[in-house]
Amino acid sequence: ADPLILGGHKFTSRFILGSGRYDLNLIKATIENAGTQIVTMALRRCRTTENNLLDYIPKGITMLPNTSGARNAEEAVRIARLAREVCETDFVKVEIEHETKYLLPDNAETIRATEMLAKEGFVVMPYMFPDPIAARQLEEAGAACVMPLGSLIGSNKGLRMRDFIEVIIANAHVPVIIDAGIGRPSQAAEAMEMGADAVMAYTAIASAGNIPVMARAFKHAIEAGREAYLAGLGTVTEGHAVPSSPTNAADYLSPSK
Amino acid sequence: ADPLILGGHKFTSRFILGSGRYDLNLIKATIENAGTQIVTMALRRCRTTENNLLDYIPKGITMLPNTSGARNAEEAVRIARLAREVCETDFVKVEIEHETKYLLPDNAETIRATEMLAKEGFVVMPYMFPDPIAARQLEEAGAACVMPLGSLIGSNKGLRMRDFIEVIIANAHVPVIIDAGIGRPSQAAEAMEMGADAVMAYTAIASAGNIPVMARAFKHAIEAGREAYLAGLGTVTEGHAVPSSPTNAADYLSPSK
Amino acid sequence: ADPLILGGHKFTSRFILGSGRYDLNLIKATIENAGTQIVTMALRRCRTTENNLLDYIPKGITMLPNTSGARNAEEAVRIARLAREVCETDFVKVEIEHETKYLLPDNAETIRATEMLAKEGFVVMPYMFPDPIAARQLEEAGAACVMPLGSLIGSNKGLRMRDFIEVIIANAHVPVIIDAGIGRPSQAAEAMEMGADAVMAYTAIASAGNIPVMARAFKHAIEAGREAYLAGLGTVTEGHAVPSSPTNAADYLSPSK
Amino acid sequence: ADPLILGGHKFTSRFILGSGRYDLNLIKATIENAGTQIVTMALRRCRTTENNLLDYIPKGITMLPNTSGARNAEEAVRIARLAREVCETDFVKVEIEHETKYLLPDNAETIRATEMLAKEGFVVMPYMFPDPIAARQLEEAGAACVMPLGSLIGSNKGLRMRDFIEVIIANAHVPVIIDAGIGRPSQAAEAMEMGADAVMAYTAIASAGNIPVMARAFKHAIEAGREAYLAGLGTVTEGHAVPSSPTNAADYLSPSK
């Protein structure tokens, strides 16, 4: 009824789960609690002979290999092609980062890689710095969505880029998926209330005390935020209260000085 | 498994719904979507002969009459006694306000009223300005919970009193229920993540485009926030990213100036 | 031309300096850099026989003894009377706190003490929790100003109580002086821009790397905030830019989805 | 003693003033109150035969022509060359924008233009979207500084890009000048406290009730922020107060639940 559409594929869940470094035994419970239909992973995690991550992921989940480790467009394209073979999917999350302190995406290289990969038939989902000019260029390059960061990867700091993510959402013709920094369910709900189409999270869940319960919390929060967006938020009132029922008390706070 | 306990009564829902001025025909759907077990109302709304609000509320819901209109402790006590008769309940939400611009609670009078009503066997749920000293005094006066405002009633501004609500929560021996100003599901989730025991909302829902859908959004958000609180939130990292998978890229951002 | 008036006395500086626990040798330089005309101190600091704080304060400065250590109105009144003798001043800052973790003022006791001291001719400057109802009652009790906290004493967290300090300022007939938690010059400027009449600071300066330079920074910031308030702030624009000069470029960001 | 150095030139003021659309008669008073040594202007404003802006600017002020209206690197270079002739200066502020709703800088084109202009000997001051990757590339292209926006031009919304401006400052080898969105003196002070090297403002001043007084407010705020940065800010304390003087009161707020 309200599907998320990526590259022509329909999804009912709007929560994309990162796989990173969980205990493999937790992955199944976490995915089920999250209600997620898409799971990202670094290509290298799919290829180890022992403890293959893919064996722990329930059937029917869409794999979203990412290109982490790529430092430019060419490296990202090479990793994407390999991932297509190993994971048997056209989906790819483009991540191009030069350094390890901030893990910031290189927008210019990401636009180049997106263009190349889209021509090869990939469903390209690019991680990006939330510069609205770059978001438009990613769209023009054939991206199936844009994935702006909310704050630094793994920081749990939430929507620090709020103002410009709002500009991206207001002008996008593809889904906008918030991809990094979301640290609490309330922040995921806030992103969805603003009109984001989906949220991806990993550290917030992996760093929780109880991982499967936090996955369920995110599921509920993302549903809440989407429902609120569809319902239409009420307006904010500044400088005075709005009574819920009439009062007949006298006004005693005297006029402003 | 994780009940909210008020005056010895157990509730599974942590969402208290204000009734205010909805279209009466929406009330049933809203309560059901909210999953709420407690509904507040001004006493006067229960007493009109036509369109009696009580007729529209599903069976099994706990009525929480409030004392709005009271300007001091004595008036609040009189209204509470009347409400006990009309609504056939010991629950009462104490609201004492002098003026209509800000509708701010008078903490000193509220403490006095709480003491009187607790002695008469009421389950006293006081609306309060989030002053931690007053919260402690309400507890000592016999309050079943404290209900600090997040921001001005009906403002939809959210948790503007965050810092001192945190102090109240850290020191309370009774449930802390956020009572005014919560304007979005994400804000309700945030309150619950902080450790609030429940959230009450009215304007956020009544001012939404689709009232029953917004009620469901709040239900999900409050569940999400509670789950996150129970799961244990991860820590926030300042000043650098936290990789989800190892990277081998060279560090190019040179040392700080 | 734009004096701060407290109890009939005119001041040109709007920066009140706490004295606390500086190295005594720094006090003179700090006061001079701050350009302050009022310095607070705990009564007990005036009374020690060795290293008497008063000897280090330049002539012409108004002493503002505080009642810290008082746990109720009666203790505050006793300390105030003693301070009047020792410091030879009618000014008193009422501070009534019960506990040492949060050092929160007890508004109810502070109102009582203010009423007693005002009747005895003191210029009463009460430290308060920023509850607008209490602010009005302090005025009615004869306070020469109200001194709401911005955040916890010594926390350097700034104006966390912004929303309700705005309500206090909008309704006050006496000066509003922000008294605790201001941690940076920018926060002092913000308080003044909002219409606060003065700012008191201590920890922000005492915890700075260079105390006299930070005192000068606060002086400039408070002047800046006052000038901005008097000049009249421009309005904030949401959702689009406001060009400073006409442009003839084509609009390429296509209409909102 | 603490100069701002741009292209080998030393400045004592850290406040760059936009000229935009003031009443020409106010310009002199505004510049004097601001204490500014650099004034930006659109090239087109220098070239009109009547009411030539240059005639209204005091001697000794460095003119900083900007390339507003340029939609790509080549247009920016053409405008810069023209400006060098008309304004007789090597300074140029590169602004490349495609659209008029958000007036967002195109980082990729700005990097290209910077490289071309730096080779021609210009002191290149690029307006940029605060993407730290782009900031580094601007440095490598020969920029004399970087000028990230705080929020949308003319919005008066302040430092909405705070987190990533901090990353830029932590890694820059050239001055970082906050260029758009600063709407209040407190926000200018905050930028300087964070370690920005200078602030440019126009709308905040042009939209004030009293333009010359607001210019002076900004001057003081920028000085305050710089002094605070040099003095070294104190640390922020979470969760409890920090007493300024010892208290002997008993602790009554009982242990956390």
Side-chain angles (χ1 to χ4, degrees):
Chain A
D2 174 37
L4 170 67
I5 300 176
L6 293 168
H9 301 260
K10 289 189 184 180
F11 300 91
T12 52
S13 165
R14 291 173 176 273
F15 181 15
I16 299 177
L17 195 68
S19 62
R21 300 188 279 206
Y22 302 111
D23 181 331
L24 285 172
N25 296 305
L26 281 173
I27 284 190
K28 189 158 174 289
T30 302
I31 290 173
E32 286 171 359
N33 273 282
T36 196
Q37 296 170 308
I38 304 177
V39 175
T40 66
M41 74 211 61
L43 173 61
R44 68 177 72 84
R45 290 216 66 197
C46 308
R47 306 184 73 202
T48 53
T49 47
E50 43 171 339
N51 285 329
N52 190 324
L53 177 65
L54 297 183
D55 297 343
Y56 289 79
I57 293 183
K59 291 208 185 305
I61 299 292
T62 295
M63 295 307 187
L64 177 56
N66 68 47
T67 67
S68 77
R71 283 156 303 175
N72 55 43
E74 285 71 21
E75 289 183 12
V77 168
R78 276 207 304 277
I79 295 173
R81 287 176 187 152
L82 211 53
R84 171 139 70 174
E85 277 176 50
V86 174
C87 300
E88 298 179 351
T89 177
D90 289 335
F91 283 79
V92 66
K93 182 174 170 218
V94 176
E95 287 189 32
I96 301 178
E97 296 143 357
H98 309 213
E99 40 76 45
T100 56
K101 181 167 185 188
Y102 304 109
L103 292 172
L104 288 170
D106 181 322
N107 280 348
E109 290 297 308
T110 301
I111 293 164
R112 284 211 305 126
T114 294
E115 188 157 21
M116 292 189 268
L117 290 167
K119 281 185 185 149
E120 298 188 17
F122 282 91
V123 177
V124 187
M125 299 174 62
Y127 174 53
M128 68 169 299
F129 192 79
D131 174 342
I133 304 279
R136 187 182 56 86
Q137 292 172 336
L138 284 167
E139 263 190 55
E140 291 172 356
C145 66
V146 290
M147 302 185 74
L149 60 85
S151 51
L152 290 178
I153 287 182
S155 69
N156 283 346
K157 291 182 78 175
L159 285 172
R160 299 303 176 101
M161 295 295 293
R162 190 178 288 108
D163 280 40
F164 291 93
I165 289 176
E166 285 175 351
V167 172
I168 290 173
I169 290 172
N171 292 282
H173 304 91
V174 294
V176 178
I177 301 176
I178 310 306
D179 183 8
I182 298 298
R184 299 179 159 210
S186 58
Q187 295 164 352
E190 184 189 359
M192 298 302 293
E193 286 166 359
M194 279 167 52
D197 294 278
V199 167
M200 139 124 204
Y202 164 68
T203 301
I205 291 159
S207 65
N210 183 324
I211 290 174
V213 171
M214 188 59 86
R216 193 164 62 232
F218 267 81
K219 173 186 192 287
H220 284 146
I222 290 168
E223 288 171 3
R226 182 67 182 177
E227 288 160 347
Y229 173 74
L230 295 175
L233 292 159
T235 52
V236 169
T237 300
E238 297 282 346
H240 63 87
V242 179
S244 52
S245 39
T247 85
N248 56 2
D251 211 334
Y252 75 83
L253 279 171
S254 26
S256 167
K257 62 176 172 175
Chain B
D2 175 37
L4 170 68
I5 300 177
L6 293 168
H9 301 259
K10 289 188 184 180
F11 299 91
T12 52
S13 164
R14 291 173 177 274
F15 182 15
I16 298 177
L17 195 68
S19 62
R21 299 188 280 206
Y22 302 110
D23 182 330
L24 285 173
N25 296 306
L26 280 174
I27 283 189
K28 191 157 172 290
T30 301
I31 291 173
E32 285 171 359
N33 273 281
T36 197
Q37 296 171 307
I38 304 177
V39 175
T40 66
M41 74 210 61
L43 173 61
R44 68 178 73 84
R45 289 215 67 197
C46 308
R47 305 182 75 201
T48 51
T49 47
E50 44 170 339
N51 284 329
N52 190 324
L53 176 65
L54 299 183
D55 297 343
Y56 289 80
I57 293 182
K59 291 208 184 305
I61 299 293
T62 294
M63 294 307 186
L64 177 56
N66 68 46
T67 66
S68 79
R71 283 157 301 177
N72 55 42
E74 285 71 22
E75 289 182 13
V77 168
R78 275 207 305 276
I79 295 173
R81 288 175 185 153
L82 211 53
R84 172 138 70 173
E85 278 177 49
V86 174
C87 301
E88 299 179 351
T89 178
D90 288 335
F91 283 80
V92 66
K93 183 175 170 218
V94 175
E95 287 190 31
I96 302 178
E97 296 143 357
H98 309 214
E99 40 75 45
T100 56
K101 181 166 184 189
Y102 305 109
L103 292 171
L104 288 171
D106 181 322
N107 280 349
E109 290 296 309
T110 301
I111 293 164
R112 285 212 304 127
T114 294
E115 189 158 19
M116 292 189 267
L117 290 166
K119 282 185 185 147
E120 297 189 17
F122 281 92
V123 177
V124 187
M125 299 174 63
Y127 174 53
M128 68 168 300
F129 191 79
D131 175 343
I133 304 278
R136 188 181 55 86
Q137 293 172 336
L138 285 166
E139 263 191 55
E140 291 172 355
C145 67
V146 291
M147 303 184 74
L149 60 84
S151 51
L152 290 178
I153 288 182
S155 69
N156 284 347
K157 291 181 79 175
L159 285 171
R160 300 302 175 101
M161 295 295 294
R162 189 179 289 110
D163 280 40
F164 291 94
I165 289 177
E166 285 175 350
V167 172
I168 291 174
I169 289 172
N171 291 280
H173 304 88
V174 294
V176 177
I177 302 175
I178 310 306
D179 183 7
I182 299 298
R184 299 178 159 211
S186 58
Q187 295 165 351
E190 184 189 0
M192 298 303 292
E193 286 166 359
M194 281 167 51
D197 294 278
V199 166
M200 138 125 206
Y202 164 67
T203 301
I205 292 159
S207 66
N210 183 323
I211 289 174
V213 171
M214 189 59 86
R216 193 163 62 232
F218 268 80
K219 173 185 192 289
H220 284 146
I222 290 167
E223 287 171 2
R226 183 66 182 177
E227 288 160 346
Y229 173 74
L230 294 174
L233 292 159
T235 52
V236 169
T237 301
E238 297 282 346
H240 62 88
V242 179
S244 51
S245 38
T247 85
N248 56 2
D251 212 334
Y252 74 84
L253 279 172
S254 26
S256 166
K257 60 175 174 177
Chain C
D2 174 37
L4 169 67
I5 300 176
L6 292 168
H9 301 259
K10 289 189 184 180
F11 300 90
T12 53
S13 165
R14 290 172 178 274
F15 182 14
I16 298 177
L17 195 68
S19 62
R21 300 187 282 204
Y22 301 112
D23 181 331
L24 284 173
N25 296 306
L26 281 173
I27 283 189
K28 190 158 174 290
T30 302
I31 291 173
E32 286 171 358
N33 273 282
T36 197
Q37 296 171 308
I38 304 177
V39 175
T40 66
M41 74 211 62
L43 173 60
R44 68 178 72 84
R45 290 215 68 196
C46 307
R47 306 182 75 202
T48 53
T49 47
E50 45 171 338
N51 284 329
N52 191 324
L53 177 65
L54 298 183
D55 297 343
Y56 289 79
I57 293 181
K59 290 207 187 306
I61 298 292
T62 295
M63 294 307 187
L64 176 57
N66 68 46
T67 66
S68 77
R71 283 158 302 178
N72 56 41
E74 285 71 22
E75 289 182 13
V77 168
R78 276 207 303 278
I79 295 173
R81 287 176 186 152
L82 211 53
R84 172 139 68 175
E85 277 176 50
V86 174
C87 301
E88 298 178 353
T89 176
D90 288 335
F91 283 79
V92 67
K93 181 173 171 222
V94 175
E95 286 189 33
I96 302 178
E97 295 143 358
H98 308 213
E99 39 76 45
T100 55
K101 181 165 185 189
Y102 303 110
L103 292 172
L104 289 170
D106 181 322
N107 280 348
E109 290 297 308
T110 301
I111 292 164
R112 284 212 305 127
T114 295
E115 188 158 19
M116 291 189 269
L117 291 167
K119 281 186 184 145
E120 297 188 17
F122 281 92
V123 177
V124 187
M125 299 173 64
Y127 174 52
M128 68 168 301
F129 191 80
D131 174 343
I133 305 278
R136 187 182 56 86
Q137 292 172 337
L138 284 166
E139 263 192 54
E140 290 172 356
C145 65
V146 289
M147 302 185 76
L149 60 84
S151 50
L152 290 178
I153 288 182
S155 68
N156 282 347
K157 291 182 78 175
L159 283 172
R160 300 302 175 101
M161 296 294 294
R162 190 179 288 109
D163 280 40
F164 291 93
I165 290 176
E166 285 176 351
V167 172
I168 291 174
I169 290 172
N171 291 281
H173 304 91
V174 294
V176 178
I177 302 175
I178 311 305
D179 183 6
I182 298 298
R184 299 178 160 212
S186 57
Q187 295 164 352
E190 184 189 358
M192 298 302 292
E193 286 166 0
M194 281 166 51
D197 295 278
V199 166
M200 138 123 206
Y202 164 68
T203 301
I205 292 158
S207 65
N210 184 323
I211 289 175
V213 171
M214 188 59 85
R216 192 163 63 231
F218 267 81
K219 173 186 193 288
H220 284 145
I222 290 167
E223 288 171 2
R226 181 67 182 177
E227 288 161 347
Y229 173 74
L230 295 175
L233 292 159
T235 52
V236 169
T237 301
E238 296 283 346
H240 63 88
V242 180
S244 51
S245 39
T247 84
N248 55 2
D251 210 336
Y252 76 83
L253 278 173
S254 26
S256 166
K257 59 174 173 177
Chain D
D2 174 37
L4 170 67
I5 301 177
L6 293 167
H9 301 260
K10 289 189 184 180
F11 300 91
T12 52
S13 165
R14 291 173 177 273
F15 182 15
I16 299 178
L17 195 68
S19 63
R21 301 188 279 208
Y22 302 110
D23 181 331
L24 285 172
N25 296 307
L26 280 174
I27 284 188
K28 189 157 173 291
T30 302
I31 291 172
E32 286 172 358
N33 273 281
T36 196
Q37 295 171 308
I38 304 177
V39 175
T40 67
M41 74 212 62
L43 172 62
R44 69 178 71 84
R45 291 216 65 195
C46 307
R47 305 182 75 200
T48 52
T49 47
E50 44 170 339
N51 284 329
N52 190 325
L53 177 64
L54 298 182
D55 298 343
Y56 289 78
I57 293 182
K59 290 209 186 305
I61 298 292
T62 295
M63 294 307 187
L64 176 56
N66 67 47
T67 66
S68 77
R71 282 157 303 176
N72 55 42
E74 286 70 22
E75 289 182 12
V77 169
R78 277 208 303 278
I79 294 173
R81 287 175 186 153
L82 211 53
R84 173 140 68 174
E85 278 177 50
V86 175
C87 302
E88 299 178 351
T89 178
D90 289 334
F91 283 79
V92 66
K93 181 173 170 221
V94 176
E95 286 189 31
I96 302 179
E97 296 143 357
H98 309 213
E99 39 75 45
T100 55
K101 181 166 184 189
Y102 304 109
L103 293 171
L104 288 170
D106 182 320
N107 280 349
E109 290 296 308
T110 301
I111 292 163
R112 284 211 305 127
T114 295
E115 188 157 21
M116 291 189 269
L117 291 167
K119 281 184 185 146
E120 297 188 17
F122 281 92
V123 177
V124 187
M125 299 173 64
Y127 173 52
M128 68 169 300
F129 191 79
D131 175 342
I133 305 278
R136 188 182 55 86
Q137 293 173 335
L138 284 166
E139 263 191 56
E140 290 172 356
C145 65
V146 289
M147 303 184 75
L149 60 84
S151 51
L152 290 178
I153 289 181
S155 69
N156 283 348
K157 291 182 78 175
L159 284 172
R160 300 302 175 103
M161 296 295 293
R162 189 180 287 108
D163 280 40
F164 292 93
I165 290 176
E166 285 175 352
V167 172
I168 291 174
I169 290 172
N171 291 281
H173 305 89
V174 294
V176 178
I177 302 176
I178 311 305
D179 182 7
I182 299 297
R184 299 178 160 211
S186 57
Q187 296 165 351
E190 185 189 358
M192 299 302 292
E193 286 166 358
M194 280 167 51
D197 295 277
V199 166
M200 137 123 206
Y202 164 68
T203 302
I205 292 158
S207 65
N210 184 323
I211 289 174
V213 171
M214 189 59 85
R216 192 163 63 231
F218 267 81
K219 173 186 193 290
H220 284 146
I222 290 166
E223 289 170 3
R226 182 68 182 175
E227 288 160 347
Y229 174 76
L230 295 175
L233 291 160
T235 52
V236 169
T237 300
E238 295 283 345
H240 62 89
V242 180
S244 51
S245 38
T247 83
N248 54 2
D251 210 336
Y252 75 83
L253 278 172
S254 27
S256 166
K257 60 173 173 178

